[in-house]
Amino acid sequence: MKEIQKRTLVLPVSLHLRETGEGEAESRILEGYAMKFGTRSLLIGYYYPFYEILEPGCITEEMLREQRIYFTMFHDRQAILGRWDKGEGTLKLTIDEVGLKVECEAPHTIDGDKAVELAKRGDLTEMSFIYWTNEEDSENCVSYEETDETTEWGAKIYLRHVKKIEGICDVTIAATPAYEDTEVKAREQQVREFIEAKKPEEPTAEQIEAQKREKAEREARAKEAKELRNIARELN
């Protein structure tokens, strides 16, 4: 089942305005990383808290060249800054050892001017993205792992590994990157299912009876062995 997920990794100083040389016109190139590999997100959730990590290789050039991806402000399709259309368009996307790099010349629009000014001032420095993957494929797409860490309130912390992203809808400039409450609840539910799946199954009535019989037989054999040892001591 493919489920569209909004994912936001809080990565400091991941967006900036490209610097220009002396005498050059002011740059309008916005660049940064919408995704970074191997970087833990902030702690997400309360009852089943977890970190999320994008694994290297979770996105590929082949996958990107099948996508139409918009570069927006705040995930708002009315505030478009650029577009990637299967490798063409005004948005440039490249994958390197760090992650998914975004480059785009801001348009001469109200939103474009706003993005340039806010990036230049350092008011907007983070990015996020919307993607989808197969949440049910724990072998190839998404898996969970226990850690030795706990929260200050005593909850065990887990790691969510994103191993394969099947598609990307949107990369965006974010003012205050954070998971939406509904998204947190959905991820916490998956962590809970992971925990419960590891619990041993409750024994059936037949298994309980078999365990009782086995215990009774062990106790009878132990009692018999003790009696034989006592008899042996008396004879000696």
Side-chain angles (χ1 to χ4, degrees):
M1 182 176 104
K2 292 181 181 178
E3 206 179 295
I4 291 183
Q5 312 280 347
K6 179 187 284 190
R7 316 308 292 156
T8 303
L9 298 182
V10 182
L11 304 171
V13 197
S14 56
L15 173 76
H16 60 272
L17 197 65
R18 181 179 293 173
E19 295 182 359
T20 58
E22 187 176 348
E24 294 181 2
E26 181 180 79
S27 172
R28 293 183 65 84
I29 304 294
L30 296 164
E31 60 182 7
Y33 285 91
M35 307 178 187
K36 285 188 176 180
F37 303 137
T39 301
R40 293 200 320 189
S41 69
L42 293 183
L43 188 64
I44 304 157
Y46 186 85
Y47 295 105
Y48 300 97
F50 65 98
Y51 296 111
E52 181 168 273
I53 295 179
L54 300 176
E55 298 296 342
C58 67
I59 53 175
T60 64
E61 296 285 354
E62 292 76 15
M63 184 274 288
L64 280 181
R65 293 195 176 275
E66 296 176 353
Q67 309 298 310
R68 289 189 176 91
I69 302 170
Y70 287 95
F71 181 33
T72 67
M73 294 187 69
F74 319 124
H75 295 291
D76 184 354
R77 287 293 181 93
Q78 303 302 313
I80 294 174
L81 303 176
R83 185 188 187 211
W84 166 278
D85 188 355
K86 299 183 178 181
E88 304 294 332
T90 54
L91 173 63
K92 181 180 179 182
L93 298 174
T94 53
I95 302 171
D96 60 20
E97 67 279 1
V98 177
L100 178 66
K101 187 174 183 181
V102 172
E103 295 179 60
C104 183
E105 182 174 356
H108 291 277
T109 61
I110 293 174
D111 293 314
D113 293 344
K114 181 193 295 185
V116 168
E117 181 63 19
L118 293 175
K120 181 172 68 175
R121 285 160 48 97
D123 295 331
L124 292 179
T125 60
E126 277 116 19
M127 302 185 71
S128 66
F129 59 98
I130 296 175
Y131 76 87
W132 70 86
T133 188
N134 187 344
E135 295 288 338
E136 297 179 354
D137 188 348
S138 60
E139 182 177 352
N140 299 303
C141 295
V142 178
S143 65
Y144 291 88
E145 172 192 357
E146 293 186 32
T147 74
D148 295 328
E149 299 178 57
T150 58
T151 63
E152 59 184 17
W153 57 90
K156 190 172 184 61
I157 298 175
Y158 295 82
L159 281 180
R160 169 184 159 92
H161 296 272
V162 180
K163 297 180 282 188
K164 181 181 179 182
I165 290 174
E166 297 188 345
I168 301 173
C169 305
D170 163 297
V171 293
T172 197
I173 300 173
T176 52
Y179 285 85
E180 295 180 350
D181 185 55
T182 52
E183 177 61 16
V184 171
K185 289 178 181 177
R187 300 280 66 75
E188 281 194 289
Q189 171 68 14
Q190 290 183 342
V191 175
R192 185 180 68 81
E193 290 172 354
F194 166 77
I195 296 169
E196 291 184 348
K198 298 190 68 175
K199 291 180 181 178
E201 294 182 358
E202 292 293 329
T204 64
E206 290 79 6
Q207 290 172 328
I208 292 174
E209 287 301 319
Q211 291 171 359
K212 288 180 179 178
R213 287 196 299 271
E214 184 179 346
K215 181 181 179 182
E217 290 172 0
R218 285 199 305 270
E219 291 175 348
R221 287 195 296 270
K223 183 179 179 180
E224 183 180 355
K226 182 178 180 181
E227 291 174 350
L228 290 173
R229 285 196 297 273
N230 290 337
I231 293 171
R233 281 198 294 270
E234 290 176 359
L235 292 175
N236 292 332

